[in-house]
Structure formats: C-alpha cells, structure tokens
Amino acid sequence: MIFIKNGTINTVTKGIINSNILIDNKKIIEIGDEIVAPLDAQVIDAKGCVVLPGFIDAHTHLGLWEDGMGVEGADGNEETDPVTPHLNPIDGINPMDRNFTEAVQGGITAVCTTPGSANVMGGQCIAIKTFGRIIDKMVIKNPVAAKIAFGENPKSVYGSDDKTPQTRMAIAALIRENLKKAEEYLEEVERCELEEDDDSKPEYDIKYESLMPVLKRQIPLKAHAHRADDMFTAIRIAKEFNLRLTLDHCTEGHLVVDELVEEGYPVIVGPSLSERSKIELRNLTFETAGILSNAGLDVCLMTDHPVVPIQYLSICAGIAIKHGMESEKALEAITINPAKVLGIDNKVGSIEVGKDADIVIWDNNPFEINSHVLYTIIDGKIVYKKNK
C-alpha cells in the first residue's frame, strides 16, 4: 500500500488538483483531501512536486532491437517474406534489455512495441508495461494492432533483390490481396461454426487467423506512412475493407491537415527528433504535431525507439510545445491519447480511481530538460527512486 500526499496531481482527464492518492493491490483506490494514510502504507510526500500518470509511447520497437547488440539483438524485421501478419513481438522482446530501465527512469510506464517496417505486413503489435523480467507478465493487451508499411522501407528491402514489392502499387496490392483472402477465410470459418460443419472448415492458416481481429474491427491497422500519398493509400484501403486505422509517423501530415481532419483517423506523429535520413523525411518538422492538434485532431507522439531513445519521449513533447503544440495537448499525446488509440484507456493513461497505479512523480514540469523523475510507480510498486 502506497500513500502519496500533498502532490500537485495532473489527472489529465479530470483536471489539476492538490490532493492525495491511495494505492493498494496494483490499483488507485482513492483520491482526495480527506484520505488518512493507513498505518501500514508507505508514505511519499510529494509537496512541491508534479504527480502525473505514467507516460505511454504509442509506437516503439522496445525490446526488439536490443541496446548495443547489433544483429544479435535485432529481432524486429523478418526480411524473408513481405507478408508476415502472423508474427507477434511477444516472441521477440527481451525485457532484460537495459532500455527498459531507461524507460522507467524517464517516466515511461507503458509502450506499444511493433515489428519493423521492412515488410508490407510486418506482424501484430503489443502493449506492455516497461517493468518486469518475464514479458508474459508485462502484457497489457495483445494484440493491439496489426502493422502495415508503405513507401521506401518495403520497397528498398525487396526491390533491391528483384522481389515484390518494388513499387507503391505492389505494396497496396499485397495488402488488398491478403485482406481479401483473410476476409474469405473468415467468412468460411464463421459459416462452418454457425452450421456446426467441422468437416468443411478451411485448413488452418496462421496468417489469415492473425488478421481476423482486424477484419472484425477489434484492432486497427497500424500504418507506417510518412508521405501524404501513402497516408491516403492507407485510408483508401481501410475504407474499402471497413477497417480501423492509425496513421503512424504522419511526417507530411501538416501538408494535408484539412483532409486528415475530414477523415478523422488517429495520428501518431514522430520520430521528429531525428535526421532527414531519406527522401520520405524531406518535410520533417516539429511543427506537425501542433498543427494537427490545433486543427482538432487527437494526436499521439512517438519516439520510434530506438530511433529516438525511449527516455526522451518527454523531451519530444517539450520540443513540440516549443513549436506550437499546447502544453496540455502534448501531455495528452503521451498519456490518454495513446491509451485510447491502443484500447487500454480503461487501465492506464490518466489518474483515476480503479485504474492501474502507474504514476510518476517529477520534481518539476516534465517538459523542461532539467526536470527529474523522483519516483516511478508501476502496478502499485515503486520501480524507480532517484538517488538524492
């Protein structure tokens, strides 16, 4: 049991209050001024500190590309087949990677880890806590999305070997082909189940099985798309199959802001704190997040770790504020917005009674570069405490 007292609490969803928080059995059980600390509670005096929900990064490769390991620790891209929707990060993440420790020290308590973007269909995506030794015990929700990729990355991986896809047309065609086959597979499976006809049930296909939650609208397609035309190819396909969709990277989003507002799909912007390393990034700017947010879209920010080290998510938000994003919107972009996009906002993303006790105590505004995390609490356990 943990009792946090005298803190300036930004709940994200219910305003800023000067109050106390009582944590028990991994959950926030009470928030209020009149709470009395139980005798057996560990008391944290947060006077003069900022108390926030743990930050959430909506798009990373945390644990799939291990720090300082090179090819030995690279498990994010299966570059043998452009269509691998059946792969799941739970089988590739190493929670012993020291970047998990750095995430905790940076106030990041949950992330979405995704396969890379070498493949047109790269695999499923998973939402996890950032503290633990066994990945199975860190899972919040699996899967939360299905990764697809447009543009330079799949073209460069397979085009150089004279394999498909070599063009954007082929990328879109591969996605359509496999969604259509999975749709037909699902229809046949459901028909056989309805008629209790096991004899006619189609032969098990792991790729099509993995796309069932997408077709049933249980999870979205998570579309790697930097260029505006690639974003709208993703939107076109999502409409054709009546699918949910998130637009990840959204590098040229500021060039088509009115059209994106009209479409209304969630946008996950970043990594902005990086070089313009390829043609697709020629319009990269930190202004994108603010422009989209100020136009009314719910924006998420991402590090794309290890492209930007995970612990600098708050710095990315601070720079976005410098370039026109409202401070509260930037906070939402790394808390409640990614929680909603990932379908885990019933557990994390804000400080509310009944939610997981993922709380971070800062000595100052987290968007200031000289601010420090004093405590990181995940599932009601202090997993990091800054040495004085």
Side-chain angles (χ1 to χ4, degrees):
M1 188 174 290
I2 298 174
F3 183 75
I4 303 171
K5 67 177 184 178
N6 302 325
T8 299
I9 305 167
N10 191 328
T11 65
V12 175
T13 53
K14 297 184 178 181
I16 300 173
I17 55 176
N18 293 306
S19 194
N20 310 314
I21 302 172
L22 183 60
I23 296 167
D24 189 27
N25 195 26
K26 301 183 179 182
K27 300 290 184 180
I28 300 169
I29 63 170
E30 197 170 355
I31 302 171
D33 297 333
E34 307 302 322
I35 311 173
V36 177
L39 293 176
D40 60 343
Q42 180 176 356
V43 178
I44 299 175
D45 190 347
K47 186 175 182 180
C49 300
V50 180
V51 182
L52 294 170
F55 293 160
I56 304 169
D57 194 327
H59 184 127
T60 78
H61 308 289
L62 184 62
L64 287 178
W65 271 274
E66 296 175 56
D67 188 63
M69 289 283 286
V71 68
E72 304 299 335
D75 285 299
N77 279 321
E78 178 62 40
E79 297 180 16
T80 57
D81 179 353
V83 180
T84 56
H86 55 301
L87 304 185
N88 193 290
I90 197 170
D91 300 312
I93 294 171
N94 181 6
M96 300 296 185
D97 177 19
R98 68 179 176 184
N99 291 143
F100 281 91
T101 298
E102 292 172 340
V104 168
Q105 293 171 344
I108 295 94
T109 57
V111 301
C112 176
T113 289
T114 86
S117 50
N119 293 346
V120 175
M121 288 183 159
Q124 298 176 317
C125 310
I126 185 173
I128 58 173
K129 300 289 178 81
T130 54
F131 180 81
R133 291 180 294 180
I134 307 299
I135 190 64
D136 306 72
K137 296 181 179 180
M138 300 162 64
V139 174
I140 306 171
K141 183 181 177 183
N142 184 28
V144 292
K147 179 75 175 287
I148 58 174
F150 295 86
E152 287 185 50
N153 287 16
K155 281 180 61 177
S156 64
V157 169
Y158 292 97
S160 60
D161 292 333
D162 293 328
K163 297 178 180 178
T164 191
Q166 297 189 33
T167 65
R168 283 179 163 81
M169 294 182 292
I171 290 170
L174 281 172
I175 294 172
R176 285 191 177 95
E177 177 186 13
N178 284 276
L179 286 174
K180 183 61 178 176
K181 288 180 178 178
E183 193 175 62
E184 293 172 350
Y185 177 87
L186 173 60
E187 290 173 355
E188 188 64 15
V189 168
E190 290 181 333
R191 183 194 66 77
C192 290
E193 289 176 349
L194 183 64
E195 298 175 3
E196 298 182 353
D197 180 10
D198 291 338
D199 294 335
S200 300
K201 201 168 184 179
E203 182 179 352
Y204 178 81
D205 189 305
I206 191 172
K207 290 186 176 183
Y208 300 152
E209 288 281 339
S210 70
L211 289 170
M212 283 186 177
V214 175
L215 295 169
K216 293 178 179 180
R217 295 181 57 85
Q218 295 169 348
I219 60 173
L221 288 173
K222 193 173 187 65
H224 164 109
H226 288 284
R227 276 182 18 178
D229 57 339
D230 288 331
M231 287 184 260
F232 280 89
T233 298
I235 290 171
R236 189 179 310 117
I237 292 171
K239 286 182 174 180
E240 288 172 18
F241 289 89
N242 188 30
L243 306 177
R244 295 167 57 198
L245 174 75
T246 68
L247 298 169
D248 294 45
H249 300 301
C250 206
T251 302
E252 292 188 351
H254 58 284
L255 302 180
V256 286
V257 58
D258 292 340
E259 290 81 3
L260 289 177
V261 170
E262 181 180 347
E263 298 294 346
Y265 292 96
V267 293
I268 302 174
V269 178
S272 303
L273 189 61
S274 61
E275 63 176 331
R276 297 180 181 92
S277 57
K278 54 186 178 179
I279 295 296
E280 287 181 344
L281 302 181
R282 65 191 181 279
N283 290 308
L284 177 69
T285 171
F286 257 107
E287 295 179 0
T288 304
I291 291 171
L292 295 176
S293 175
N294 295 337
L297 286 172
D298 289 335
V299 175
C300 302
L301 296 174
M302 59 180 273
T303 62
D304 203 20
H305 174 91
V307 179
V308 176
I310 185 74
Q311 64 268 32
Y312 298 131
L313 178 62
S314 61
I315 299 301
C316 293
I319 301 175
I321 293 168
K322 180 180 179 180
H323 288 271
M325 195 174 196
E326 294 181 10
S327 180
E328 196 62 28
K329 293 298 182 181
L331 179 60
E332 291 174 2
I334 55 175
T335 54
I336 194 63
N337 287 356
K340 288 179 178 178
V341 165
L342 299 172
I344 56 175
D345 55 304
N346 62 321
K347 296 182 178 180
V348 295
S350 61
I351 296 179
E352 299 180 54
V353 171
K355 285 196 172 184
D356 293 357
D358 292 0
I359 294 173
V360 181
I361 301 174
W362 293 78
D363 64 358
N364 205 341
N365 183 339
F367 303 140
E368 298 291 338
I369 196 166
N370 60 344
S371 296
H372 297 95
V373 171
L374 300 180
Y375 293 87
T376 300
I377 300 168
I378 297 179
D379 287 331
K381 179 181 179 180
I382 297 173
V383 299
Y384 171 73
K385 180 180 179 181
K386 187 180 187 316
N387 294 326
K388 293 184 178 180

